[in-house]
Amino acid sequence: MASRTVSKDIITLKGSAAIVSEFFGYAANSILYNRGVYPEESFARVKKYGLPMLLTQDEAVKTFITNLTSQLSEWLEAGQLQRIVLVIMSKAAGEVLERWNFNIVTDVEVVEKGVIKEKSDKEIMREIQAIMRQVNSCISFLPCLEEPCIFDVLAYTDAETAVPFTWVESDAKLIDNPQMVKLHSFDTKIHKVDTMVSYKVDDLDDE
């Protein structure tokens, strides 16, 4: 008689770091597409998280995001990453128009003692789906970006974290009196990611 065991969805630190860094790569692509930072025709449609997603085909941007997610994964595995912020700025003036904030809380016990956690992939995917749907519908509440824009990524790490030479110290690129919208969060049981977007309000809107 064959024996059966109940399979469990084990989440490892390395696996959780991979999930979060991959999520950020897709989220960044989705934000850049939906906010029109790059032309629509420079994106290709793929399926991810059970949703149609768009990925940039611009080689420079692809390389940037690939290198970025690789570094984020390394910091996440070490429990050193506290926050990632994708900043959208006007190309001409350098004025910060939007800040997409991804706050990360890491289970220290997992990093220090290798404690095992359990959570189903389907549950994590459902939580990520909810965030991606909000990013895709952001045009319903965010002001139109009517000028050419560029983007940058800020990473907030522990003070003692080793930082590659390709990263430089930066100011926080804040927005004065921003409007803020809290989005959904997801939790791998090792890394919890809270998302929020803050944006500049046109002075005319206040009148």
Side-chain angles (χ1 to χ4, degrees):
M1 186 174 177
S3 63
R4 295 278 187 268
T5 57
V6 179
S7 65
K8 294 178 179 177
D9 292 287
I10 302 295
I11 303 290
T12 64
L13 178 57
K14 190 180 183 71
S16 178
I19 289 169
V20 176
S21 58
E22 182 181 60
F23 156 78
F24 184 74
Y26 279 93
N29 271 279
S30 192
I31 292 164
L32 296 175
Y33 172 81
N34 282 289
R35 303 309 290 140
V37 177
Y38 293 96
E40 189 176 337
E41 61 272 16
S42 68
F43 290 81
R45 193 174 293 273
V46 297
K47 187 102 181 255
K48 184 69 178 177
Y49 308 121
L51 299 169
M53 302 288 294
L54 288 134
L55 292 181
T56 180
Q57 300 305 294
D58 181 296
E59 288 302 328
V61 182
K62 271 167 76 172
T63 300
F64 177 86
I65 292 176
T66 298
N67 292 340
L68 173 68
T69 54
S70 175
Q71 181 59 63
L72 295 181
S73 188
E74 192 178 307
W75 282 333
L76 285 160
E77 222 177 308
Q80 296 171 324
L81 188 61
Q82 300 165 358
R83 196 186 322 160
I84 314 161
V85 183
L86 189 150
V87 182
I88 296 177
M89 302 168 284
S90 69
K91 190 172 184 179
E95 183 183 16
V96 179
L97 304 175
E98 290 176 12
R99 295 177 92 253
W100 292 80
N101 191 88
F102 301 84
N103 196 58
I104 298 155
V105 178
T106 304
D107 188 321
V108 178
E109 201 178 16
V110 176
V111 178
E112 293 179 352
K113 300 178 182 176
V115 176
I116 296 295
K117 296 287 181 176
E118 294 174 24
K119 185 165 184 175
S120 75
D121 289 343
K122 283 185 179 177
E123 200 177 342
I124 295 170
M125 188 172 81
R126 275 198 301 269
E127 292 173 6
I128 292 176
Q129 271 181 348
I131 299 172
M132 292 303 188
R133 285 196 173 102
Q134 284 184 312
V135 172
N136 290 338
S137 65
C138 65
I139 52 171
S140 64
F141 62 86
L142 290 174
C144 288
L145 298 177
E146 295 174 341
E147 56 188 307
C149 292
I150 56 173
F151 81 101
D152 202 358
V153 175
L154 311 178
Y156 291 75
T157 61
D158 294 348
E160 68 278 6
T161 302
V163 178
F165 71 91
T166 48
W167 290 75
V168 295
E169 287 286 335
S170 169
D171 65 277
K173 300 188 187 300
L174 298 175
I175 300 169
D176 288 332
N177 303 313
Q179 285 285 101
M180 289 182 270
V181 177
K182 192 177 188 313
L183 307 181
H184 287 296
S185 59
F186 80 93
D187 191 350
T188 68
K189 295 291 189 186
I190 296 175
H191 298 104
K192 184 174 190 288
V193 181
D194 290 311
T195 55
M196 183 180 72
V197 58
S198 54
Y199 57 94
K200 184 182 187 309
V201 182
D202 194 312
D203 295 336
L204 296 174
D205 294 344
D206 298 333
E207 295 178 4

